[in-house]
């Protein structure tokens, strides 16, 4: 009887020691993995809407994520406004490459307290309370309702091509336009800070937007109206009325 008790106690001691050893090995393994696979470089490919630091915070929630922990436990399908999807590849042990595919946003319409962002085809792809750089507000268009993931119901569907052409020109000339306004005849007025730009017909407006770029430094910090609807290539056809 006593011999059995001794054997039992001896077995329990061995099990306890084995358990402790296993815990120590596990702890050492976790600590080693934490430092060994701690990412010190994240490279982003594609995507212009967010900075690299913003994307790191949105995807990993930390500046230096752990590659192994992310592979095993990380949320790989986070919903990020203006991002259609992203793919994370790991170059072991401590480097990541993130390919970002953004939603093709060209503008937004303010509707019932929300900003409804739409793509080049007029499909509403996002609803947000935020505004973002390089995404202008579109004003002057009439519609009965706006439904997420559906096309804006506007009488003149060619307006979306005009918006795309305008925003591509803004990107080309690095112009920060706050608002694009369409009147009843679909003529365009741009708003840049305190400057109102009468652009006129949006068709074939590349020369007028180029002229706007040339005037950018001259009118910076001023308040007034810049008339470009009759621009013909000469300086005399550019009129600025200061307020």
């Amino acid at each position: 009887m006593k011999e059995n008790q001794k054997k039992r106690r001896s077995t329990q001691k061995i099990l306890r020691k084995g358990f402790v050893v296993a815990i120590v090995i596990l702890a050492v393994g976790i600590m080693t993995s934490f430092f060994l696979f701690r990412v010190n470089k994240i490279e982003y490919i594609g995507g212009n809407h967010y900075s690299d630091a913003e994307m790191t915070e949105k995807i990993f929630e930390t500046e230096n994520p752990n590659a192994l922990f992310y592979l095993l436990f990380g949320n790989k399908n986070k919903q990020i406004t203006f991002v259609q999807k992203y793919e994370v590849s790991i170059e072991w042990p401590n480097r990541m490459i993130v390919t970002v595919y953004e939603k093709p946003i060209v503008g937004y319409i303010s509707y019932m307290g929300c900003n409804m962002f739409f793509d080049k085809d007029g499909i509403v792809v996002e609803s947000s309370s935020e505004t973002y750089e390089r995404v202008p507000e579109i004003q002057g268009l009439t519609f009965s309702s706006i439904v997420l993931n559906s096309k804006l119901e506007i009488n003149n569907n060619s307006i979306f091509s005009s918006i795309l052409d305008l925003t591509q020109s803004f990107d080309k000339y690095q112009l920060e336009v706050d608002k694009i306004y369409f009147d009843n005849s679909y003529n365009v007025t741009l708003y840049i800070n305190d400057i109102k730009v009468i652009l006129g017909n949006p068709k074939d407006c590349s020369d007028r937007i180029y002229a706007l770029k040339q005037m950018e430094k001259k009118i910076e910090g001023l308040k007034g109206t810049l008339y470009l609807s009759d621009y013909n290539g000469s300086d005399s056809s550019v009129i600025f009325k200061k307020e």
Side-chain angles (χ1 to χ4, degrees):
M1 192 73 163
K2 290 181 179 181
E3 187 176 344
N4 289 337
Q5 290 177 345
K6 287 181 180 180
K7 287 182 179 180
R8 194 179 304 116
R9 284 195 293 269
S10 177
T11 301
Q12 289 174 346
K13 287 181 181 180
I14 293 173
L15 290 175
R16 282 196 294 270
K17 288 180 180 179
F19 179 75
V20 171
V21 170
I23 291 296
V24 171
I25 292 173
L26 180 62
V28 170
I30 291 173
M31 291 299 294
T32 301
S33 298
F34 178 80
F35 289 105
L36 180 61
F37 300 112
R38 189 168 184 262
V39 174
N40 55 35
K41 182 174 177 58
I42 303 176
E43 178 183 348
Y44 287 90
I45 300 174
N48 297 308
H49 194 87
Y50 299 106
S51 67
D52 290 356
E54 288 174 326
M55 284 301 298
T56 298
E57 177 62 27
K58 292 178 182 297
I59 296 175
F60 305 109
E61 300 179 2
T62 178
E63 186 177 349
N64 299 105
N66 183 282
L68 181 61
F69 294 171
Y70 177 79
L71 178 65
L72 296 176
F73 311 111
N75 182 353
K76 302 176 182 60
N77 296 292
K78 289 188 175 180
Q79 300 300 308
I80 302 172
T81 306
F82 303 120
V83 174
Q84 187 168 332
K85 67 175 183 177
Y86 60 89
E87 298 172 348
V88 179
S89 61
I90 300 172
E91 292 190 354
W92 302 96
N94 52 16
R95 185 170 181 264
M96 285 179 168
I97 299 176
V98 182
T99 304
V100 180
Y101 302 90
E102 288 186 339
K103 294 176 180 177
I105 304 294
V106 298
Y108 74 92
I109 290 175
S110 182
Y111 180 71
M112 297 182 66
C114 290
N115 297 325
M116 312 298 286
F117 295 86
F118 59 91
D119 66 12
K120 62 183 180 62
D121 298 314
I123 306 296
V124 180
V125 296
E126 283 292 346
S127 172
S128 174
S129 60
E130 302 293 330
T131 58
Y132 300 90
E133 292 182 0
R134 300 185 298 277
V135 182
E137 180 180 4
I138 310 300
Q139 294 184 337
L141 303 181
T142 57
F143 45 84
S144 56
S145 63
I146 298 180
V147 179
L148 194 62
N149 298 320
S150 297
K151 188 170 184 175
L152 290 167
E153 296 182 2
I154 297 174
N155 292 333
N156 184 1
N157 282 326
S158 65
I159 204 69
F160 299 119
S161 295
S162 297
I163 294 172
L164 177 61
D165 290 342
L166 286 167
T167 54
Q168 286 179 334
S169 294
F170 301 158
D171 289 340
K172 178 180 178 180
Y173 295 116
Q174 297 183 327
L175 288 167
E176 295 285 346
V177 175
D178 303 316
K179 290 187 289 188
I180 302 173
Y181 173 78
F182 291 90
D183 66 14
N184 292 334
S185 299
Y186 298 106
N187 292 313
V188 171
T189 299
L190 308 177
Y191 292 85
I192 304 174
N193 296 322
D194 291 324
I195 302 295
K196 182 165 67 173
V197 182
I198 309 300
L199 197 67
N201 193 315
K203 292 183 179 179
D204 302 319
C205 63
S206 181
D207 288 345
R208 283 169 282 158
I209 294 178
Y210 176 75
L212 171 60
K213 179 63 178 179
Q214 300 309 302
M215 289 287 295
E216 185 180 28
K217 294 297 182 182
K218 297 178 182 179
I219 61 178
E220 186 177 4
L222 300 178
K223 185 176 183 180
T225 302
L226 179 64
Y227 295 86
L228 290 176
S229 55
D230 296 324
Y231 177 72
N232 59 16
S234 66
D235 293 341
S236 60
S237 62
V238 178
I239 300 172
F240 179 70
K241 291 185 177 180
K242 186 178 178 181
E243 293 183 11

